[in-house]
Amino acid sequence: MFAVSTSGEVRRRDAVPVGLSSASVWPQPVGAAFAMAAELGYDGVELMVWADPVSQDVRAVAQLAERYGMPVLSVHAPCLLITQRVWSPDPETRLRRAVSAAADLGAPTVVVHPPFRWQRRYAENFPRIVDQLEHSSGIRVAVENMFPMRPLGRRRPLSVSGFRPSPDPTDVGYANYTLDLSHCSAAHVDALEMAKRMGGGLAHVHLADGTGVPVDEHLVPGRGNQPCAELCEELALGDFDGAVVLEVNTRKARDRAERSRMLAESLAFARRHLARP
């Protein structure tokens, strides 16, 4: 019924696992994420596959996971604008490789964004690709909510989204979703309402805060106006069986100590509000 984490803390086995996204230590490399996750007592790491060569090397990541005793809880497919040529220029190939990497690393979930508007063939086939990959691999391919781009100073989003058919994956309907609260903030979308629309398909959470400005802030939870605490408490009371991953922007941290304090605060927030009765 109970388990001991790498930090020595006794925790219930049915507690919601709390992971650290490797993006949370940028511009530090992925190895720094494993080291800091182990040091602070996280339950594992979400691997963001991007320009860092180690993040693209499944064997190297497996060695990091073993070295630090930090399992890979999820793999974030390389679908950012800056990762359009990581692994392959073909988005379907990148997604398939992410699922293969997750299988090799023992991660139950792959996070992927909806297709960009200009990826027409991929967008047309995306629901079928996701469904096929889930059935063939047994891995959850959790499609993440995004946000429309809008210029600074504009109060409302532009009517044309960069994603097809929209930034909201519930408009299409998938078996599994990733809910990102920072993206909800940038989109001016109620995160609790989106969680309800995702329903039993809510498989993964990116926990971070925001203030509603037209950028993806990824603040430490509790430093913005998003319902981070309320969502965590609802997850703890329900039958949520996924992971909550801190995807926090620490690039302005002056040094490792400040970054560590930010990520320790984020972990404490998540554990406090995810505590199950």
Side-chain angles (χ1 to χ4, degrees):
M1 185 175 182
F2 293 90
V4 180
S5 74
T6 56
S7 65
E9 177 188 1
V10 178
R11 301 180 55 242
R12 293 179 63 91
R13 286 193 186 277
D14 61 356
V16 176
V18 181
L20 177 66
S21 169
S22 61
S24 295
V25 302
W26 188 85
Q28 298 299 307
V30 65
F34 279 90
M36 192 159 285
E39 176 184 314
L40 297 176
Y42 279 83
D43 296 316
V45 170
E46 175 171 295
L47 172 66
M48 170 69 82
V49 181
W50 56 2
D52 178 359
V54 175
S55 75
Q56 304 170 31
D57 186 334
V58 174
R59 182 175 297 179
V61 172
Q63 291 173 347
L64 286 169
E66 182 176 2
R67 174 182 175 185
Y68 290 104
M70 282 284 103
V72 178
L73 301 177
S74 46
V75 173
H76 196 307
C79 44
L80 302 172
L81 282 172
I82 62 172
T83 59
Q84 292 299 291
R85 305 195 76 81
V86 169
W87 280 344
S88 168
D90 176 37
E92 181 177 344
T93 299
R94 293 197 300 272
L95 177 55
R96 290 186 180 279
R97 287 195 61 172
V99 172
S100 177
D104 290 342
L105 294 166
T109 304
V110 165
V111 177
V112 64
H113 296 174
F116 289 115
R117 293 186 68 84
W118 58 83
Q119 297 170 327
R120 293 187 179 182
R121 181 186 300 178
Y122 177 58
E124 290 171 359
N125 294 318
F126 185 68
R128 176 189 60 78
I129 294 167
V130 168
D131 183 66
Q132 184 270 323
L133 284 171
E134 289 192 317
H135 280 86
S136 64
S137 69
I139 289 170
R140 291 171 167 175
V141 180
V143 187
E144 185 173 8
N145 63 293
M146 299 303 293
F147 54 95
M149 302 302 295
R150 51 194 169 101
L152 287 170
R154 184 183 178 98
R155 295 183 61 85
R156 303 188 67 82
L158 296 173
S159 58
V160 177
S161 164
F163 299 94
R164 183 171 178 168
S166 85
D168 183 349
T170 67
D171 288 345
V172 176
Y174 298 95
N176 293 292
Y177 300 100
T178 295
L179 176 62
D180 188 304
L181 281 82
S182 179
H183 295 175
C184 288
S185 174
H188 288 183
V189 169
D190 187 314
L192 297 179
E193 286 301 318
M194 176 160 284
K196 289 179 182 178
R197 292 201 300 277
M198 291 177 172
L202 177 54
H204 196 70
V205 172
H206 280 166
L207 185 61
D209 221 327
T211 61
V213 298
V215 292
D216 193 11
E217 296 176 281
H218 284 281
L219 303 177
V220 170
R223 296 189 183 183
N225 56 23
Q226 294 303 292
C228 297
E230 295 89 335
L231 177 70
C232 287
E233 289 161 6
E234 288 193 9
L235 295 177
L237 290 172
D239 56 0
F240 177 71
D241 63 352
V244 170
V245 167
L246 275 301
E247 195 178 59
V248 176
N249 184 348
T250 66
R251 70 178 184 272
K252 292 184 179 180
R254 290 167 293 185
D255 52 29
R256 189 182 189 279
E258 183 175 3
R259 176 174 288 111
S260 179
R261 287 193 295 271
M262 293 173 70
L263 296 179
E265 179 184 337
S266 300
L267 175 61
F269 181 100
R271 288 264 168 83
R272 182 167 64 253
H273 293 288
L274 285 168
R276 282 177 166 157

